[in-house]
Amino acid sequence: MPSRWYDEDIERIIVTEEQIRDKTVELARQVAADYGQVHELLLICVLKGAVMFTADFTRELGRIGPPLELEFMSASSYGQGTTSSGVVRVRADLDRDIAGRHVLVVEDIIDSGLTLSWLLKYLTSQAAASVEVVTLFRKPDAIRSAPPLKYVGFDIAPEFVVGYGLDYGERYRELPFVGVLKPAAYARPDL
Ligand code: XMP
Ligand code: MG
């Protein structure tokens, strides 16, 4: 296999491409079973990190679930680097009215749970019929602080991960797996 520019930056793979694929199918099955009676479901992708998972999850759920619509929001507890700051910044509002709609927020990773708590409050205040969350990854802090979540892909250790949408300095989103960077990668001169 030819080497890629990022191979030398990765210390260890946490979740492989195949594990992500299998888990995505499993999560779609759970959601399809729970939403068997609804006429349609609105998926809200939380940009940018959830973009890969949303694209794959939406297609899997589409095969077996109710009709779907897709919206995008951008919300994160900002701060550069590898820790959440505690302040939520919303960079795009919803294009449509969600009153009376069943909403499923699609998240990449939940760490402190702050971004999610804020989002859930916001969506509930817009009078959605229901609001649930599917997240591909969850870190231990979120188990303590975030509201209980029905759909969680992988519980992972509290270390910074990249790939499959997740970035460090806007890099590494295109990796098909999720992994941990070598310490030297944090010191790349172009980041
Ligand atoms: P909170 O703390 O609000 O943060 O739950 C969730 C958001 O923080 C980002 N995040 C990460 N991004 N690797 C990343 O690339 C990580 O390990 C990581 N942990 C948290 C991410 O934007 C997420 O939506
Ligand atoms: Mg980020």
Side-chain angles (χ1 to χ4, degrees), residues 12-24 56 136-137 154 156 162-164 175-179:
R12 146 174 73 82
I13 293 177
I14 302 277
V15 182
T16 66
E17 192 172 357
E18 193 187 2
Q19 287 173 315
I20 292 172
R21 204 179 307 124
D22 291 349
K23 189 63 80 174
T24 302
D56 289 338
L136 187 56
F137 296 102
F154 301 94
I156 60 169
V162 299
Y164 198 64
L175 278 51
F177 54 81
V178 168

Side-chain angles (χ1 to χ4, degrees), residues 77 84 107-109 111-115 139 160-161 166-167:
S77 50
S84 304
E107 269 279 22
D108 48 355
I109 187 164
D111 184 358
S112 70
L114 209 98
T115 310
K139 289 186 181 176
F160 194 76
V161 293
L166 294 164
D167 72 302

Side-chain angles (χ1 to χ4, degrees), residues 122-151:
Y122 173 80
L123 295 171
T124 307
S125 78
Q126 306 289 300
S130 69
V131 183
E132 293 290 347
V133 181
V134 57
T135 185
L136 187 56
F137 296 102
R138 177 171 65 179
K139 289 186 181 176
D141 276 352
I143 301 174
R144 286 187 287 276
S145 61
L149 299 180
K150 275 195 189 161
Y151 312 111

Side-chain angles (χ1 to χ4, degrees), residues 42-60:
L42 174 62
L43 303 181
I44 299 182
C45 168
V46 184
L47 295 170
K48 299 176 194 172
V51 70
M52 304 287 181
F53 177 49
T54 300
D56 289 338
F57 176 76
T58 302
R59 277 175 293 191
E60 288 309 327

